[in-house]
Amino acid sequence: MNNLFVYLEIENGKVEDVSLELLTKGRSLANQLKCQMEAVAIGSKLENIASQVFPYGVDVLHLFDDARLYPYTSLPHTSILVNLFKEEKPQIALMGATSIGRDLGPRVSSALFSGLTADCTSLEIGDHEEKKEGKTYTGLLYQIRPAFGGNIVATIVNPDNRPQMATVREGVMKKEIFDANYKGKTVSHEVGKYVSDTDFVVSVIERHIEASKVNIKNSPIIVSGGYGMGSKEGFGLLYDLANTIGAEVGASRAAVDAGYAEHERQIGQTGVTVHPKLYIACGISGQIQHIAGMQDSSMIIAINSDPNAPINAIADYVITGEVEKVIPKMIKYYKKNSK
Ligand SMILES: Cc1cc2nc3c(=O)[nH]c(=O)nc-3n(C[C@H](O)[C@H](O)[C@H](O)COP(=O)(O)OP(=O)(O)OC[C@H]3O[C@@H](n4cnc5c(N)ncnc54)[C@H](O)[C@@H]3O)c2cc1C
């Protein structure tokens, strides 16, 4: 009772990274709260889910296995979570800020009158004092995310209603095995008790999924360009540098909006969150919304003509100069020195 729950997103029998990242975070939150972590798998042919999630420290795995539950449709998955949460009364429920989580989370939270914070960038446990009522709450979930266009970082709490619900984008939390030999308990539920036949009003006839051609999230080196690259052609320099040093190309939102790069390359609050070993920011000013997606890079190099560009404040190395001059030199000397 009153445990922490994570909804598992499953595609072709594989638990998605975003869910494994949430299990990693969920395990550490559950340890702090001294409660158990439970995971919910809804879909079809779920036999191999347990072996995928137990190493992340799942204590109880709830299985809802029915051919009609895969692929995801809104009503059956909502009914299952709502009815399961009514029974189990979790204190916290987490899911990915993906297209599924964005559809499912609000449906579940409104049915349970629980509230939900979308797109959290950090989750912590802490106390809260409600001064007006003279009440102190302990062990609340701090749901932390940028607010007001990224101008502040807000900590949101939900003192009274349960579960405290939050969604987190893929890549924001780190995925880490808790214990390779960890063994939890599996509970197989009778689907008919949680879902009515009318919930299956939508059936998916055909599904087309286009895999992303860009693997920016897992690249150890990212060369990222901003509006300062000047044009789509100017962005070509970044591909030359990336090809030379074995990197992937990223972009700021201003560069994407200007048509210099595809949207899937956007890094930041409304793009991808990355944690590379090396991040080279070229012609990027370093607004908070961009920094939110790359500040955990192990090393940051900033190339900017403005010596006072905000990105310089978080960079390990700053090169003050025009990208058009600096990048060709980097390519030239890298090639020369790696012969
Ligand atoms: C709700 C919200 C969400 C957002 N989400 C994101 C997001 O996910 N990702 C994101 O990136 N932004 C996001 N933004 C936009 C963000 O606020 C900035 O507008 C954007 O990051 C700026 O991009 P930029 O640094 O490329 O452009 P600019 O701010 O225009 O900076 C260009 C930089 O290039 C430098 N420069 C110019 N010419 C040269 C040259 N020849 N050589 C070297 N340097 C040069 C300039 O000195 C300047 O520092 C968001 C904004 C909002 C309100």
Side-chain angles (χ1 to χ4, degrees), residues 145 148-151 169 225-230 251-257 260 263 266-272 279 281-293 303-311 319-326:
R145 56 152 298 156
F148 298 112
N151 292 317
R169 280 165 177 259
Y227 195 65
M229 292 308 299
S252 72
R253 179 155 137 184
V256 171
D257 288 350
Y260 302 172
H263 177 67
Q266 184 181 314
I267 290 167
Q269 187 189 322
T270 43
V272 187
Y279 189 88
C282 310
I284 294 179
S285 58
Q287 301 305 312
I288 186 168
Q289 296 89 354
H290 185 78
I291 286 176
I303 308 171
N304 202 300
S305 52
D306 175 4
N308 300 314
I311 189 91
I319 302 173
T320 302
E322 308 280 320
V323 284
E324 301 80 354
K325 290 184 186 150
V326 176

Side-chain angles (χ1 to χ4, degrees), residues 101-142:
R102 289 196 172 110
D103 178 61
L104 182 62
R107 288 171 185 271
V108 174
S109 79
S110 74
L112 298 173
F113 301 103
S114 72
L116 175 147
T117 305
D119 281 2
C120 291
T121 49
S122 179
L123 297 171
E124 289 170 19
I125 300 298
D127 301 338
H128 173 68
E129 193 189 344
E130 198 65 67
K131 289 200 173 104
K132 251 188 188 169
E133 297 164 27
K135 257 171 129 179
T136 302
Y137 298 84
T138 54
L140 288 185
L141 180 69
Y142 284 179

